[in-house]
Amino acid sequence: MAYGIDYLLENFALEQAVLKYCTAVDKLDDLDFMMTNFTEDAVLDLTGLELPRFEGHEQIRGFYTQVFADVSHHMHVLTNFRTVKLEGDDAQIHAYVTGMGRSKAGIDMQVFVYYDLDMRKVDGTWKIGRFYEAPQLPMPESVAQVHKKN
Amino acid sequence: MAYGIDYLLENFALEQAVLKYCTAVDKLDDLDFMMTNFTEDAVLDLTGLELPRFEGHEQIRGFYTQVFADVSHHMHVLTNFRTVKLEGDDAQIHAYVTGMGRSKAGIDMQVFVYYDLDMRKVDGTWKIGRFYEAPQLPMPESVAQVHKKN
Amino acid sequence: MAYGIDYLLENFALEQAVLKYCTAVDKLDDLDFMMTNFTEDAVLDLTGLELPRFEGHEQIRGFYTQVFADVSHHMHVLTNFRTVKLEGDDAQIHAYVTGMGRSKAGIDMQVFVYYDLDMRKVDGTWKIGRFYEAPQLPMPESVAQVHKKN
């Protein structure tokens, strides 16, 4: 398959958008910056991790408010980034993420997941419209301990 | 060193080709898709892992048939991708792979290897002509337990 | 944000430059090749790891001489590469590195850090002018055991 320049540029912009999300979740202290990653009607679907599904900025912000309150260290390692669909201002992304962190309670987490994202270009900027992740390798117990406590 | 657009496009196409191989080995259920990654005369040389060397589609397909039968989870994390040679329709790739998985017998594997691949462009698509991998870090026992049992 | 071709080419050249550093530190046997990664006036600031700060080629070469003498295996996995500043021949890079290795004394190391690098283009080639790294996740004891012994 041959790729052209325009495809390369869009793929790069999409990867930068997903890296920006990783940066935001790893900063752990800037909810406004986090929310710039999501479209207004975004769905954050964590049912693949046996966690809830959040719809819209208010619910999504609420989730990250809790995450940032619970976690002291984060590192989301993004690899195997692939644009599996690109149609105008809509795209679908698959990628691997090794998600690591330590909770303020001292629990270390390490999960091996894939991301399946619908991206939408809003005013020239790619944002996440649907965020889904699920285990690529079997999950450890630590995630439920930290994120399901409420 | 300055890179031009044509180099960037070929490097991207090569990386997509290697990512496609990772996707195929992690799907664990589509041998036909796996075989599209290899040239007809490909060599899969696993002697760097103290495993056999396979020549041609029949032997290579046989190997992955066994792998897919033995393994329940796979995740091949591709990083440090470098095109070390690019001459027309021939290229050589170096990359790191953190290869993880769980066998159906319940053995967890995690290996840290480098890939050294010869790629050939066939009808406009990059395929693997020679696949070699070897440990970048010392190997654990688990790999031999899963893959050398026969 | 829209990216253009020139930005893509520079970002690629910068990533290749940082990958080249990773290759050099993982080869463990070529000090001259290692030193081609650094500008003449480079600063290698490891204070974020509670290790020293080295200025100029002589001091930096001295550090890697010791590293190469102490370590038998290295693997520096580079991900989440971002060009956070690009102004002519100056750039700033953020990236994640999972740094792994085994010392000749048999100690296994695994650290999860971020790189914060100032890059400068010298005769058309990006080199490291300021190298800073610090833990993204809490550090294990193993690093101090291997690198602080003198």
Side-chain angles (χ1 to χ4, degrees):
Chain A
M1 195 184 326
Y3 300 94
I5 292 294
D6 291 344
Y7 187 88
L8 214 63
L9 286 167
E10 288 293 23
N11 181 78
F12 180 78
L14 284 160
E15 186 163 11
Q16 296 299 306
V18 181
L19 277 176
K20 185 186 155 199
Y21 167 79
C22 293
T23 302
V25 75
D26 290 352
K27 279 174 64 78
L28 289 169
D29 65 2
D30 191 338
L31 283 162
D32 290 342
F33 178 57
M34 170 55 83
M35 295 315 297
T36 66
N37 289 285
F38 293 96
T39 64
E40 285 297 325
D41 62 348
V43 173
L44 172 63
D45 179 355
L46 302 182
T47 57
L49 307 180
E50 298 182 31
L51 294 168
R53 181 179 184 280
F54 304 94
E55 280 196 45
H57 270 221
E58 186 179 335
Q59 288 186 16
I60 294 173
R61 189 182 185 100
F63 172 70
Y64 287 108
T65 302
Q66 194 62 51
V67 169
F68 291 3
D70 291 341
V71 173
S72 67
H73 295 75
H74 251 177
M75 182 171 182
H76 285 70
V77 170
L78 179 71
T79 66
N80 297 52
F81 184 92
R82 294 183 300 127
T83 300
V84 295
K85 198 187 72 174
L86 177 58
E87 295 175 3
D89 291 345
D90 287 291
Q92 187 180 1
I93 297 303
H94 281 187
Y96 284 159
V97 171
T98 301
M100 297 175 283
R102 176 175 288 183
S103 76
K104 289 180 182 168
I107 300 170
D108 285 316
M109 298 171 280
Q110 185 172 39
V111 302
F112 299 97
V113 300
Y114 67 87
Y115 281 8
D116 174 1
L117 311 177
D118 285 346
M119 309 291 291
R120 197 191 315 148
K121 210 192 270 185
V122 180
D123 298 333
T125 301
W126 287 105
K127 293 177 183 267
I128 300 167
R130 182 188 56 86
F131 185 113
Y132 179 78
E133 63 176 302
Q136 183 69 27
L137 297 178
M139 294 289 277
E141 292 298 306
S142 53
V143 176
Q145 284 179 274
V146 173
H147 291 303
K148 275 190 186 167
K149 66 175 205 287
N150 300 311
Chain B
M1 198 184 325
Y3 300 95
I5 292 294
D6 291 344
Y7 186 89
L8 214 63
L9 286 167
E10 287 293 23
N11 181 78
F12 181 77
L14 285 161
E15 186 163 11
Q16 296 300 305
V18 181
L19 277 176
K20 185 187 155 197
Y21 167 80
C22 293
T23 302
V25 75
D26 291 353
K27 277 173 66 76
L28 287 169
D29 65 2
D30 192 338
L31 283 162
D32 290 341
F33 178 58
M34 170 55 82
M35 295 316 298
T36 66
N37 290 286
F38 293 97
T39 63
E40 285 297 326
D41 61 348
V43 172
L44 173 62
D45 179 355
L46 302 181
T47 57
L49 306 180
E50 299 183 28
L51 294 168
R53 179 179 185 280
F54 304 95
E55 280 196 44
H57 269 221
E58 188 179 333
Q59 287 187 16
I60 294 172
R61 190 183 185 100
F63 172 70
Y64 287 108
T65 301
Q66 193 61 51
V67 169
F68 291 2
D70 291 341
V71 173
S72 67
H73 295 74
H74 252 177
M75 183 172 182
H76 285 70
V77 170
L78 180 71
T79 66
N80 297 53
F81 184 92
R82 293 182 300 127
T83 300
V84 294
K85 197 185 74 174
L86 177 57
E87 295 174 4
D89 291 345
D90 288 291
Q92 187 180 2
I93 297 303
H94 280 186
Y96 284 159
V97 171
T98 301
M100 296 175 285
R102 176 175 289 184
S103 76
K104 289 180 182 169
I107 300 171
D108 285 315
M109 298 170 281
Q110 187 173 38
V111 302
F112 299 97
V113 301
Y114 67 88
Y115 281 8
D116 174 1
L117 311 177
D118 285 346
M119 309 291 289
R120 197 190 316 149
K121 209 191 271 184
V122 180
D123 298 332
T125 300
W126 288 106
K127 292 178 184 267
I128 301 167
R130 183 188 57 87
F131 185 112
Y132 179 79
E133 62 175 303
Q136 183 70 27
L137 296 178
M139 295 288 277
E141 292 299 306
S142 54
V143 177
Q145 285 178 273
V146 173
H147 292 303
K148 276 190 187 167
K149 66 173 202 289
N150 300 309
Chain C
M1 196 183 326
Y3 300 94
I5 293 294
D6 291 344
Y7 186 89
L8 215 62
L9 286 168
E10 288 293 23
N11 181 77
F12 180 77
L14 284 160
E15 186 162 11
Q16 296 299 305
V18 180
L19 277 176
K20 185 186 155 200
Y21 167 79
C22 293
T23 302
V25 74
D26 290 353
K27 278 173 65 77
L28 288 170
D29 65 1
D30 192 338
L31 284 163
D32 290 343
F33 178 57
M34 170 54 84
M35 295 315 298
T36 65
N37 289 286
F38 293 97
T39 63
E40 286 297 324
D41 62 348
V43 171
L44 173 62
D45 179 355
L46 302 182
T47 56
L49 307 180
E50 299 183 28
L51 293 169
R53 180 180 185 278
F54 304 94
E55 280 196 45
H57 270 221
E58 187 179 335
Q59 288 186 16
I60 294 173
R61 190 181 184 99
F63 173 70
Y64 286 108
T65 302
Q66 193 62 52
V67 169
F68 290 3
D70 291 341
V71 173
S72 67
H73 296 73
H74 251 176
M75 182 171 181
H76 284 70
V77 170
L78 180 72
T79 67
N80 296 54
F81 184 92
R82 295 183 298 126
T83 300
V84 294
K85 197 187 72 175
L86 177 58
E87 296 175 2
D89 291 345
D90 288 290
Q92 187 181 1
I93 298 302
H94 281 187
Y96 285 160
V97 171
T98 301
M100 296 175 284
R102 176 175 289 182
S103 75
K104 290 182 182 168
I107 300 169
D108 285 317
M109 298 171 282
Q110 186 172 37
V111 302
F112 299 97
V113 301
Y114 67 88
Y115 283 7
D116 174 0
L117 311 177
D118 286 346
M119 309 291 289
R120 196 191 315 149
K121 210 192 271 185
V122 180
D123 297 332
T125 301
W126 287 105
K127 293 177 183 268
I128 302 167
R130 182 187 57 85
F131 185 112
Y132 179 79
E133 61 176 303
Q136 183 69 27
L137 296 178
M139 294 289 276
E141 291 300 306
S142 53
V143 177
Q145 284 178 272
V146 173
H147 291 304
K148 276 190 184 167
K149 66 173 205 286
N150 301 309

